Amino acid sequence: MWLFNSSIGRKVIMAVTGMALILFLTFHMSMNVVALFSAEGYNMICEMLGANWYAVVATMALAALAVIHIIYAFILTMKNRAARGSERYAVTEKPSKVEWASQNMLVLGLIVLLGLAVHLYDFWAKMMLVDLVGSGDLAHSTDGAYWIQYVFSNTGHVVCYLLWLCALWFHLTHGFWSMLQTMGLNGKVWFTRWKVIGIAYVTVLCAGFASVVVWFYIQSL
């Protein structure tokens, strides 16, 4: 099937899975920002999601999309290196027109994946997973505000999350316009506009996450 066997097909898969991840992150950021204004409102959302079947399905789908995205990133990187052969060693100077993020997408992706794993451990494992297995800290399994305050009162966690958000910003700003280019939206005028829109969108997205981290850290001092 061309979708899996051709380079264009693999790029389409990268674009679609990347789009799904951006949409998930947008929902997640919007949900987290609620905690800045109302702990009760945030906990109401957490309780609504809880261990309900649709939340479990969405979590499994996200995990599958993340795995597919990173696997295909490895495949594309290896195939690009194989295609260049020994030529990649011939020139050590990096092209001036090639963005730094573009040259380091795989490394940035791995950092983002590691950050997601830490995030799942800090929150999902102590909330939805506790509800699913019926053991652990059941008293706080739907108290998301408690876990936000707990996790972001730790300086080490805060630094790691902010570094993760920096890597996420670089990864998504490049991935956003790359995704649109794959989908054929690469006209000279609108491509430039979409690139600016993508940078603005991802900046707001990451700033939303960072505001929650910083705010609750300041509150803990």
Side-chain angles (χ1 to χ4, degrees), residues 129-205:
L129 183 60
V130 168
D131 275 347
L132 287 172
V133 301
S135 65
D137 190 354
L138 291 169
H140 295 108
S141 63
T142 57
D143 192 352
Y146 168 83
W147 290 114
I148 284 182
Q149 292 169 354
Y150 176 79
V151 171
F152 297 142
S153 65
N154 183 288
T155 303
H157 271 73
V158 169
V159 171
C160 288
Y161 269 92
L162 292 178
L163 289 174
W164 172 59
L165 288 172
C166 287
L168 185 65
W169 186 88
F170 279 107
H171 188 78
L172 293 183
T173 49
H174 174 77
F176 191 96
W177 66 259
S178 180
M179 171 185 68
L180 294 173
Q181 187 177 47
T182 298
M183 295 302 183
L185 301 175
N186 55 355
K188 185 176 181 181
V189 175
W190 266 103
F191 179 71
T192 302
R193 292 174 181 173
W194 276 117
K195 194 170 182 179
V196 173
I197 292 171
I199 291 173
Y201 186 90
V202 172
T203 299
V204 172
L205 179 67

Side-chain angles (χ1 to χ4, degrees), residues 43-56:
N43 283 341
M44 184 177 68
I45 297 173
C46 293
E47 188 174 0
M48 180 184 68
L49 295 176
N52 293 306
W53 68 267
Y54 48 82
V56 176

